[in-house]
Amino acid sequence: MAISETVLILAGGTVVLAIVFGIRVAIRAVAGGAAPRSDGGEASGGSGAPDVPGVIALPPLIFLAFLAAAAVLEAIIPLPVLAGQALARYLAGAVLAVCGFVLIFMAAGRFNAAGTNIPPTLPTTALVVDGIYRRTRNPFYLGTTLIYLGLGVAAGSFWAIALVVPLLWVINTGVIAREEQYLERKFGDDYRAYKARVRRWV
């Protein structure tokens, strides 16, 4: 049985993004982490909590899991959308994905300039509130969502687009909410003031 274009785009995108993420993790492991790490002790404020947010999983893995799930669902119950509008889908998907990558690079640049860790499995050593962080508190997740949607639109996948709702629920509750609690414990009023003036997403 022939594999549909929709499944090929979703599966291919999942594989490519997984490879990119794996290379990034390997580079960080070999380099020993360019940003300061900390001793992994307690967060400031004497709460006794570990100095990490305690997210449910690395966010890129969550996005990859939903993208893979969309590919599987399209293979089992294909529900393509805009099947006859390939060029429009490709262009719209490419624009979304490029915007997502730009946001991620901007966010990474601010973290590197501040000398703090990017992975949520490592301590945050500085509160970043400038650059793209003046517009959104979560440019990494906003950017990754745009890449995910870009692939879904380019593939014309109903499932990928529909799954963005539970995907964002998982990111909000399992990642962002835990990071916010952690940052409030660690940076106190400075983070609360930042949170009051900048939106979580856009």
Side-chain angles (χ1 to χ4, degrees):
M1 185 176 72
I3 300 176
S4 72
E5 174 198 23
T6 300
V7 174
L8 281 174
I9 292 174
L10 293 176
T14 303
V15 170
V16 170
L17 291 176
I19 291 171
V20 170
F21 176 63
I23 290 171
R24 182 71 185 106
V25 170
I27 290 172
R28 187 180 295 124
V30 169
R37 288 181 176 254
S38 154
D39 60 4
E42 294 181 2
S44 59
S47 65
D51 193 14
V52 289
V55 298
I56 59 170
L58 284 172
L61 296 180
I62 297 173
F63 282 96
L64 286 171
F66 273 85
L67 199 57
V72 170
L73 286 168
E74 286 289 356
I76 298 172
I77 311 171
L79 294 173
V81 293
L82 297 173
Q85 306 294 326
L87 181 58
R89 285 190 285 110
Y90 296 156
L91 288 175
V95 168
L96 287 170
V98 167
C99 289
F101 279 114
V102 168
L103 280 174
I104 290 170
F105 282 120
M106 291 172 69
R110 298 319 308 148
F111 266 51
N112 290 332
T116 190
N117 295 303
I118 293 176
T121 52
L122 296 174
T124 297
T125 58
L127 182 61
V128 180
V129 298
D130 59 349
I132 188 61
Y133 284 89
R134 291 177 180 157
R135 304 292 181 188
T136 171
R137 299 203 309 266
N138 293 286
F140 281 112
Y141 307 142
L142 179 57
T144 310
T145 301
L146 289 176
I147 294 169
Y148 172 93
L149 281 173
L151 282 168
V153 169
S157 169
F158 168 83
W159 287 113
I161 295 169
L163 285 175
V164 80
V165 175
L167 167 60
L168 292 182
W169 181 83
V170 171
I171 291 293
N172 271 315
T173 58
V175 178
I176 293 176
R178 297 180 184 212
E179 289 181 337
E180 288 177 347
Q181 293 170 1
Y182 164 71
L183 292 171
E184 282 196 26
R185 290 196 309 268
K186 187 153 190 174
F187 297 103
D189 290 340
D190 288 340
Y191 179 72
R192 282 187 282 272
Y194 170 65
K195 189 167 73 166
R197 69 177 183 269
V198 178
R199 295 187 182 196
R200 175 181 276 183
W201 288 94
V202 291

